[in-house]
Amino acid sequence: AQSVAQPEDQVNVAEGNPLTVKCTYSVSGNPYLFWYVQYPNRGLQFLLKYITGDNLVKGSYGFEAEFNKSQTSFHLKKPSALVSDSALYFCAVRDGDSNYQLIWGAGTKLIIKP
Amino acid sequence: SQTIHQWPATLVQPVGSPLSLECTVEGTSNPNLYWYRQAAGRGLQLLFYSVGIGQISSEVPQNLSASRPQDRQFILSSKKLLLSDSGFYLCASRTNTEAFFGQGTRLTVV
């Protein structure tokens, strides 16, 4: 069965420091992996995705994520956090070998303190 | 890319009143469409999805229903709202490699 885990409900980071939001997944086939960001009372916005190719994926707003097949992880990272990065972040996975639904993580609240 | 139009942005309805939330999609044809509910600003709960006109799959039994009268229109309805129906509702469309979301509707049942 497909599943996604975001083990941290909340991550606190000081502005200017690097940030990591963790995501691990489980699929039976090739994983399609996604990160989305949600600002208060708004829809989700696409940040980046991994389908195939380079394990390090670069996305919007300076974010990147590294696909690690052996650890079944797809952690979201940014070298230097901004206060405006504070938001809710969702990881999602789909089995690329089928047309199964996107499975969403529970979300991680990222708080960047000035 | 696709654009999802969802309205209204906010809605306050009394218990027992009907509900109709509308979602339309631009920039694609024959999309897979989804209704999600998000409680307390956290995880997404898939309510309904549709792979075509008149085709609705329900993920969670509840007081809500969905309809797809046209290829790019997806409607979330209720005959009688409950207090527990309050939440943030999101419409989404999906391709093989990306999902697109509307701006959401904040529903408060009073």
Side-chain angles (χ1 to χ4, degrees):
Chain A
Q2 302 180 94
S3 66
V4 176
Q6 290 182 245
E8 303 152 316
D9 286 344
Q10 183 169 308
V11 172
N12 298 302
V13 178
E15 186 177 27
N17 283 1
L19 69 88
T20 299
V21 183
K22 296 179 180 177
C23 173
T24 59
Y25 66 90
S26 174
V27 295
S28 53
N30 289 315
Y32 287 11
L33 294 154
F34 307 84
W35 276 102
Y36 283 78
V37 60
Q38 185 183 30
Y39 298 99
N41 292 312
R42 306 289 290 183
L44 278 68
Q45 298 177 32
F46 173 77
L47 276 179
L48 50 81
K49 65 186 176 189
Y50 171 83
I51 305 297
T52 186
D54 195 349
N55 289 346
L56 184 63
V57 179
K58 293 187 183 298
S60 306
Y61 311 121
F63 283 94
E64 58 188 29
E66 186 166 11
F67 170 60
N68 187 318
K69 188 172 182 178
S70 63
Q71 296 184 8
T72 62
S73 68
F74 190 56
H75 301 331
L76 182 70
K77 299 181 180 183
K78 187 172 182 179
S80 178
L82 300 173
V83 172
S84 57
D85 292 330
S86 299
L88 190 57
Y89 290 80
F90 288 95
C91 180
V93 68
R94 183 169 80 81
D95 185 337
D97 295 336
S98 70
N99 197 28
Y100 289 161
Q101 305 296 357
L102 266 177
I103 303 300
W104 295 88
T108 298
K109 188 173 183 180
L110 178 63
I111 298 177
I112 308 300
K113 298 181 178 179
Chain B
S1 76
Q2 301 179 27
T3 303
I4 312 297
H5 299 282
Q6 185 181 341
W7 67 93
T10 59
L11 189 61
V12 179
Q13 291 284 99
V15 169
S17 64
L19 173 73
S20 180
L21 301 181
E22 189 160 347
C23 170
T24 58
V25 183
E26 285 183 8
T28 187
S29 59
N30 196 31
N32 288 350
L33 297 175
Y34 303 80
W35 277 111
Y36 290 92
R37 177 165 55 199
Q38 187 179 27
R42 295 315 304 255
L44 301 174
Q45 178 187 32
L46 179 61
L47 301 177
F48 301 95
Y49 70 93
S50 171
V51 298
I53 295 174
Q55 301 179 63
I56 309 295
S57 296
S58 175
E59 291 293 303
V60 181
Q62 59 215 316
N63 185 43
L64 302 169
S65 62
S67 61
R68 187 164 175 180
Q70 300 180 41
D71 180 46
R72 288 173 285 179
Q73 184 184 27
F74 201 26
I75 298 172
L76 183 68
S77 304
S78 174
K79 292 182 179 178
K80 289 185 178 181
L81 283 168
L82 305 172
L83 286 174
S84 57
D85 291 325
S86 293
F88 192 58
Y89 290 83
L90 289 160
C91 178
S93 171
R94 204 203 84 189
T95 67
N96 277 342
T97 58
E98 195 169 337
F100 301 86
F101 284 83
Q103 291 303 292
T105 297
R106 170 72 59 192
L107 172 66
T108 304
V109 182
V110 296

